[in-house]
Amino acid sequence: MSALRRLGRAPDLPLVAAAALCAAGLLQAVVPLDDRPPAADIPLTLALVLGSTAPLAFARSQLLPAASAVTAAVLLTPLSGRLPCAAALPALAALLYLTGLRRSPRTTLLLAVPFVAYTVGPAPTAAGGKPFGVALLVGAAAALAAGAARRAGGEAAARSAAEGAYAHTVLEHAARGERARIARELHDVVAHHISTLSVQAETARLTTPGLPPLGAERLLAIGDTARQALTEMRRLLGVLRDDASAEAPATRRPQPGLDQLLTLVDEARDTAGGGVRLVVRGRITPLDPGLQLTAYRIVQEALTNARRHAPGAPVDVELHYAEDALRVTVRDIGAGPALTDPASTPDAGHGLLGMRERVAMAGGTLHTEHGPAGGFVVAAELPLREAAA
């Protein structure tokens, strides 16, 4: 197969094929292969043979004129009282196939019109009669259709590859954007703790009476280390902060946590116009700010999806404080989004992708599914031990 492809791309192939077919056609015209006598009008016969084979040499540079010339010569040959030479048929098939492959469907249909006209109303003196006209029409239509089918297949494959590349690029961009947002938010949380550690170390060194010199030196080292870590982290995430300031004005306020969930639920209830309920189960325990931020963002995104895909539908937001994990569940009874794979479409699944990024960062698991009685369910499990570690 590879050898045939290389042969098809050879630059001299049309010229060689045309020369071979011309030689075969001229030989048949001068020395007939059947019992019929040679043609009476030799010049006309030779002209028709050359017209039905020689244009193949221009298949790459002048495809449409070459196909039209061969078509005219093949259709005029029966009107002279003889059937086209055997070498004319491969030349005609090759040119019609290339026309269907490289030209538009309108051009392909226009090139089939002469064959239809010849078949519908051949001249009485035409050789071969109606059967030859039908056979010629079927062969021409098959060659044109084969070329058009291959062209359509190639265009579909290219279009599918382009759509796949576009979907992959969009999802990669969405994932990078969500990771950058997570990194910025975690920077705010961790920076607060490191700053507090530095201040407490300095305060303990300056206010503790009777502190041994070695202890003061250790506290000073702790404060210096905390400040250095804060500087390095700010330097590492400086690019993300620049991107954030370019996209939207910076907001100077603490990152949200679970204590802001009631406000979020009230805002969702007022915006969506449906019932939104917050249910808390288990014994409420203090959680790491990073874990609270992750849970808050999951609820926020799930409420946004419910408002978009199930407007006005009742929504339940449930927080379950277990011994080893915080379980966050958001369910509605609306139609819900289609459970499509985010990697398969360019415009679906970005919200779910962001939630998966956050849950994976916290070492948890996320499940999204249609509810048993309709609607859509988002369930996340965030391990407490992982957050504490």
Side-chain angles (χ1 to χ4, degrees):
M1 183 64 68
S2 61
L4 291 177
R5 291 176 180 174
R6 288 196 299 269
L7 180 62
R9 291 192 295 265
D12 297 332
L13 179 61
L15 182 60
V16 174
L21 293 177
C22 278
L26 293 175
L27 181 62
Q28 181 181 354
V30 176
V31 184
L33 301 179
D34 49 20
D35 295 334
R36 289 176 296 179
D41 194 350
I42 295 297
L44 177 61
T45 302
L46 295 180
L48 293 175
V49 169
L50 291 176
S52 59
T53 54
L56 182 61
F58 304 96
R60 288 182 175 169
S61 59
Q62 302 293 332
L63 176 59
L64 195 56
S68 301
V70 172
T71 299
V74 169
L75 294 180
L76 289 175
T77 301
L79 300 180
S80 66
R82 298 181 62 87
L83 291 176
C85 63
L89 300 181
L92 177 63
L95 289 172
L96 293 180
Y97 173 81
L98 292 176
T99 301
L101 178 63
R102 300 177 184 176
R103 293 295 184 266
S104 64
R106 178 179 298 180
T107 303
T108 301
L109 290 177
L110 287 177
L111 200 57
V113 170
F115 296 95
V116 176
Y118 179 87
T119 304
V120 172
T125 59
K130 184 75 71 173
F132 176 75
V134 173
L136 199 60
L137 175 61
V138 171
L144 290 170
R150 184 175 177 182
R151 178 179 54 81
E155 292 177 352
R159 185 167 54 251
S160 177
E163 291 175 354
Y166 174 74
H168 179 73
T169 301
V170 170
L171 288 176
E172 284 292 330
H173 178 73
R176 285 196 300 268
E178 187 65 25
R179 289 167 188 164
R181 183 183 176 191
I182 293 172
R184 291 193 300 269
E185 293 176 347
L186 285 182
H187 169 266
D188 294 340
V189 174
V190 177
H192 170 73
H193 288 292
I194 295 179
S195 301
T196 303
L197 175 64
S198 175
V199 171
Q200 289 177 349
E202 289 296 327
T203 303
R205 183 176 66 86
L206 297 175
T207 61
T208 302
L211 184 66
L214 181 60
E217 183 180 350
R218 294 289 176 84
L219 289 176
L220 180 62
I222 292 175
D224 292 340
T225 303
R227 285 189 293 271
Q228 183 180 1
L230 186 59
T231 301
E232 292 294 333
M233 184 174 60
R234 285 173 176 169
R235 184 180 306 164
L236 180 65
L237 299 178
V239 177
L240 299 179
R241 285 214 170 271
D242 292 340
D243 294 341
S245 62
E247 293 174 1
T251 55
R252 299 291 184 179
R253 59 183 180 182
Q255 295 295 343
L258 293 181
D259 51 347
Q260 280 86 29
L261 267 187
L262 188 58
T263 303
L264 179 64
V265 169
D266 291 339
E267 292 177 354
R269 185 185 303 114
D270 296 338
T271 304
V276 182
R277 184 176 60 171
L278 176 62
V279 180
V280 181
R281 303 181 186 275
R283 179 182 177 184
I284 300 178
T285 57
L287 299 178
D288 180 84
L291 189 65
Q292 293 190 44
L293 177 62
T294 299
Y296 180 90
R297 293 303 186 195
I298 291 173
V299 174
Q300 184 182 42
E301 184 62 37
L303 289 176
T304 301
N305 289 342
R307 184 168 61 249
R308 181 183 302 120
H309 299 286
V315 182
D316 284 346
V317 179
E318 180 179 327
L319 294 181
H320 183 196
Y321 288 84
E323 294 183 359
D324 58 344
L326 173 67
R327 297 182 176 90
V328 182
T329 305
V330 181
R331 60 171 62 89
D332 64 76
I333 59 173
L339 281 177
T340 55
D341 183 6
S344 63
T345 56
D347 299 327
H350 290 173
L352 297 181
L353 179 63
M355 285 191 281
R356 293 188 190 280
E357 293 284 344
R358 292 185 177 274
V359 172
M361 175 200 66
T365 57
L366 178 72
H367 298 284
T368 56
E369 60 183 359
H370 288 291
F376 197 71
V377 180
V378 176
E381 183 173 336
L382 308 175
L384 300 182
R385 296 176 183 174
E386 190 76 19

